[in-house]
């Protein structure tokens, strides 16, 4: 049974119920995750609140030393974390390496906090009057994270939060908590003062307790749109800062002048990587003009060659989806597309044996009103569509309630500029399939893909975890000695 990490100790959850943590490739039960309670949250927040004054007063250059130590420990145990990540999530080893590496880059970036949180100062804003602004930590922050990046997504938040002087409570996904438990074991080895970082395992009761607790100053959330909205509304109505990153429906536009072979294989990788379970995964490929047949022929050929299997096998190209219910939901969406009049060019639904596997599926003739064109699939399903112009492709993209990412494949600078200027999603790719901002940029979509204003990690992460204080000063000379 997973335990909580509170006030520098591993303790049992007070929750009576639990869920199985299942390897989705083998259906083996790896462990159990307790469904924690408000009582667990109260204890963790109390520990974090008690640790805050001393942690805040610890010089920032000393605070980041714990992150430097953690970085070394993460490198030394990299392969173990990768294997665990693959076991509980199902993604391939290559994908898990990316997941963990991106997480480490967050730690590395947060090590720059001595410079990142520097304030500003002006002399003589009026005669003899100076003005200075500093960024101060605020207290206890919390993050609630999804199943699809067990290593990376929690790192989007807490290294920036604690390096800037706050204390923290993390609630990882109850479906994949083991990677974070392992990482907290490493954090413990850094000698980080007790109470600075806390982990509470669980599901919605823990989430609701964090969003309403009077001592939690802010909440970072990543997950599906309905829960993102709920967390945003609950947290803000309880006076907290909230950044809530939600679901997505991502479009990829191919113009006839694109480098066709590379563009098509890049689109396929975007759609089927991590078995389609990335918030930046492409979903609908819109071919503009006369390239539709080239795109569909090549996609079907490439998708037929994808080797599915246990992610722990280095020969595997694509692992399973996370759960049986997820698999059934995706099967239902594929069926809806057929009923709505789309053509299933490649049907990946027939797989035998254990594990929640779906082979890449390719559906052509997708139009904007179809359910499959509107809902997030979160599975390896390629939807093919076409339009007669870039303008109508952009119009389609902008009609979606989601606006996480979109990509354009072209050799035309003018088309690229039009796309960057007009497409609503807040993370765009130009000849890039998964435009994930690096740790030192900020991450987050728009519309129903993001609730809040200040985005995750990079400079905006520093703004989220700190508050500005301005001091304006005038000193009158009252001595002849100085
Ligand atoms: P989810 O919404 O089911 O769960 C996310 C978190 O919310 C988990 O920690 C879970 O315990 C908690 N939760 C679930 N139901 C809840 C409820 N009713 N009340 C309160 N808390 C609840 O999401 P998921 O299935 O784990 O992750 C997949 C989703 O996350 C996809 O929609 C994907 O697009 C999205 N996602 C978005 C981004 C982004 O940057 N926008 C990144 C990764 C994943």
């Amino acid at each position: 049974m997973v335990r909580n990490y509170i006030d520098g100790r591993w303790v049992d959850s007070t929750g009576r119920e639990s869920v199985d943590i299942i390897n989705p490739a083998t259906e083996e039960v790896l462990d159990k995750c307790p469904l924690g309670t408000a009582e667990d949250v109260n204890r963790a927040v109390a520990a974090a609140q008690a640790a805050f004054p001393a942690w805040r007063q610890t010089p920032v250059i000393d605070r980041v030393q714990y992150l430097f130590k953690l970085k070394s420990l993460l490198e030394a145990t990299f392969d173990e974390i990768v294997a665990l990540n693959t076991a509980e999530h199902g993604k391939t080893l290559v994908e898990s390496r990316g997941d963990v590496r991106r997480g480490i880059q967050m730690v590395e970036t947060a090590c720059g906090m001595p410079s990142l949180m520097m304030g500003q100062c002006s002399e003589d804003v009026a005669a003899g009057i100076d003005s200075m602004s500093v960024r101060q930590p605020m207290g206890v922050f919390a993050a609630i994270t999804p199943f699809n990046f067990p290593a990376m997504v929690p790192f989007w938040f807490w290294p920036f939060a604690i390096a800037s002087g706050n204390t923290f409570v993390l609630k990882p996904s109850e479906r994949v908590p083991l990677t974070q438990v392992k990482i907290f074991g490493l954090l413990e080895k850094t000698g980080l003062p007790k109470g600075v970082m806390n982990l509470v395992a669980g599901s919605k009761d823990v989430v609701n307790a964090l969003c309403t607790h009077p001592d939690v100053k802010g909440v970072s959330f990543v997950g599906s749109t309905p829960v993102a909205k709920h967390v945003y509304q609950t947290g803000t109505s309880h006076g907290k800062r909230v950044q809530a990153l939600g679901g997505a429906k991502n479009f990829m536009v191919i113009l006839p002048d694109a480098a066709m072979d590379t563009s098509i294989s890049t689109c396929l990788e975007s759609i089927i990587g991590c078995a389609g379970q990335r918030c930046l995964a492409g979903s609908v490929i819109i071919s503009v003009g006369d390239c539709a047949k080239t795109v569909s022929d090549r996609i079907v050929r490439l998708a037929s060659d994808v080797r599915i299997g246990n992610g722990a096998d280095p020969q595997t190209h694509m692992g399973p989806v996370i759960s049986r219910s997820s698999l059934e939901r995706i099967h239902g969406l594929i069926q809806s597309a057929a009923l709505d009049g789309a053509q299933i060019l490649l049907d990946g639904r027939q797989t035998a044996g254990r594990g929640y596997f779906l082979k890449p599926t390719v559906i052509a003739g997708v139009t904007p009103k179809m359910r499959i064109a509107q809902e997030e699939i979160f599975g390896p399903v390629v939807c093919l569509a076409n339009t007669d112009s870039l303008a109508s492709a952009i119009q389609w993209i902008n009609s979606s309630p989601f606006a996480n990412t979109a990509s354009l494949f072209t050799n035309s600078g003018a088309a690229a500029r039009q796309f960057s200027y007009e497409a609503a999603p807040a993370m765009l790719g130009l000849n890039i399939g998964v435009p994930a901002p690096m740790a030192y940029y900020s991450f987050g979509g728009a519309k129903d893909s993001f609730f809040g204003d200040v985005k995750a990690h990079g400079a905006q992460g520093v703004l989220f975890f700190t508050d500005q204080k301005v001091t304006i000063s005038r000193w009158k000379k009252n001595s002849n000695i100085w």
Side-chain angles (χ1 to χ4, degrees):
M1 182 74 76
V2 166
R3 303 181 87 196
N4 292 334
Y5 186 71
I6 296 177
D7 207 18
R9 288 186 309 125
W10 292 97
V11 293
D12 290 336
S13 168
T14 61
R16 296 271 166 272
E17 293 171 58
S18 64
V19 290
D20 289 342
I21 305 161
I22 297 172
N23 179 329
T26 61
E27 300 185 39
E28 174 200 356
V29 175
L30 300 171
D31 205 334
K32 283 180 178 296
C33 181
L35 297 179
T37 64
E39 177 54 27
D40 296 324
V41 170
N42 290 343
R43 291 178 191 176
V45 174
Q49 180 78 348
F52 176 59
W55 184 242
R56 178 198 166 173
Q57 286 162 30
T58 304
V60 59
I61 201 82
D62 295 338
R63 289 198 299 255
V64 298
Q65 297 312 314
Y66 299 99
L67 295 182
F68 280 112
K69 281 187 203 153
L70 179 67
K71 145 87 179 160
S72 302
L73 292 166
L74 287 166
E75 296 294 357
T77 43
F78 187 82
D79 290 339
E80 281 174 50
I81 303 171
V82 164
L84 188 55
N85 198 61
T86 285
E88 66 175 348
H89 177 280
K91 60 181 73 176
T92 65
L93 292 173
V94 171
E95 290 163 348
S96 275
R97 282 184 203 115
D99 189 341
V100 180
R101 179 56 57 201
R102 283 270 180 164
I104 293 175
Q105 289 168 354
M106 301 292 155
V107 176
E108 291 164 352
T109 302
C111 282
M113 196 55 70
S115 316
L116 291 172
M117 71 182 295
M118 277 165 69
Q120 293 178 315
C121 188
S122 308
E123 287 182 335
D124 291 319
V125 292
I129 297 182
D130 303 332
S131 183
M132 121 178 142
S133 74
V134 292
R135 306 245 18 133
Q136 294 189 326
M138 297 171 65
V140 181
F141 277 83
I144 297 147
T145 54
F147 80 83
N148 65 327
F149 282 90
M152 174 185 74
V153 171
F155 279 124
W156 282 358
F157 307 109
W158 69 256
F160 296 91
I162 69 165
S164 56
N166 303 282
T167 54
F168 211 81
V169 181
L170 173 68
K171 191 214 82 67
S173 167
E174 66 278 22
R175 291 188 269 183
V176 295
L178 301 178
T179 302
Q180 283 306 313
V181 167
K182 172 95 186 154
I183 289 167
F184 267 67
L186 301 178
L187 253 182
E188 202 178 8
K189 288 190 186 155
T190 66
L192 186 73
K194 62 182 189 146
V196 172
M197 281 294 297
N198 305 275
L199 180 149
V200 178
S203 177
K204 59 181 181 204
D205 290 346
V206 174
V207 172
N208 292 333
L210 287 168
C211 290
T212 53
H213 196 295
D215 290 336
V216 172
K217 292 285 184 259
V219 176
S220 303
F221 172 87
V222 184
S224 59
T225 289
V227 188
K229 242 184 219 173
H230 165 72
V231 165
Y232 185 74
Q233 286 167 351
T234 312
T236 52
S237 68
H238 285 80
K240 300 177 198 328
R241 287 184 174 191
V242 180
Q243 46 180 192
L245 290 80
K249 183 76 187 175
N250 303 320
F251 295 81
M252 316 181 86
V253 182
I254 305 184
L255 297 189
D257 71 349
M260 239 358 117
D261 284 0
T262 326
S263 303
I264 294 168
S265 55
T266 303
C267 286
L268 183 66
E269 201 291 320
S270 168
I271 295 173
I272 68 162
C274 296
Q277 302 168 113
R278 288 191 288 220
C279 69
L280 298 180
S283 179
V284 182
I285 301 178
I286 305 177
S287 303
V288 176
D290 60 9
C291 61
K293 172 115 179 58
T294 312
V295 172
S296 77
D297 287 353
R298 194 163 167 79
I299 280 277
V300 169
R301 201 153 12 101
L302 291 173
S304 311
D305 286 345
V306 170
R307 201 177 309 117
I308 62 163
N310 189 327
D313 176 351
Q315 304 303 317
T316 295
H317 292 153
M318 190 183 90
V321 296
I322 189 69
S323 63
R324 171 127 348 253
S325 65
S326 187
L327 188 63
E328 286 166 1
R329 185 184 52 74
I330 301 165
H331 282 189
L333 270 170
I334 297 169
Q335 197 53 32
S336 80
L339 294 174
D340 284 344
Q343 302 90 52
I344 302 182
L345 301 185
L346 188 67
D347 191 341
R349 285 177 290 180
Q350 290 82 36
T351 52
R354 296 184 79 74
Y356 312 130
F357 290 101
L358 171 68
K359 290 187 198 154
T361 295
V362 181
I363 302 176
V366 172
T367 56
K369 294 238 172 323
M370 292 179 182
R371 202 178 133 209
I372 197 128
Q374 297 180 351
E375 287 182 24
E376 182 173 42
I377 303 173
F378 234 52
V381 179
V382 184
C383 297
L384 297 176
N386 44 301
T387 61
D388 54 6
S389 68
L390 175 59
S392 35
I394 295 175
Q395 198 177 19
W396 182 354
I397 293 170
N398 290 353
S399 70
S400 170
F402 299 106
N404 216 35
T405 184
S407 298
L408 177 70
F409 295 84
T410 183
N411 270 323
S412 159
R417 187 190 186 266
Q418 181 182 351
F419 189 75
S420 300
Y421 195 82
E422 294 178 5
M427 294 177 281
L428 294 180
L430 297 173
N431 300 312
I432 297 287
V434 183
M438 298 297 286
Y440 38 95
Y441 283 81
S442 296
F443 192 114
K447 294 165 71 177
D448 279 1
S449 297
F450 181 76
F451 302 92
D453 37 26
V454 179
K455 296 187 176 171
H457 63 73
Q460 299 215 1
V462 180
L463 294 182
F464 186 76
F465 294 118
T466 55
D467 203 19
Q468 175 183 269
K469 182 177 280 179
V470 177
T471 306
I472 301 173
S473 54
R474 168 168 44 203
W475 299 99
K476 284 267 183 220
K477 204 166 172 171
N478 61 359
S479 159
N480 289 330
I481 302 173
W482 57 82

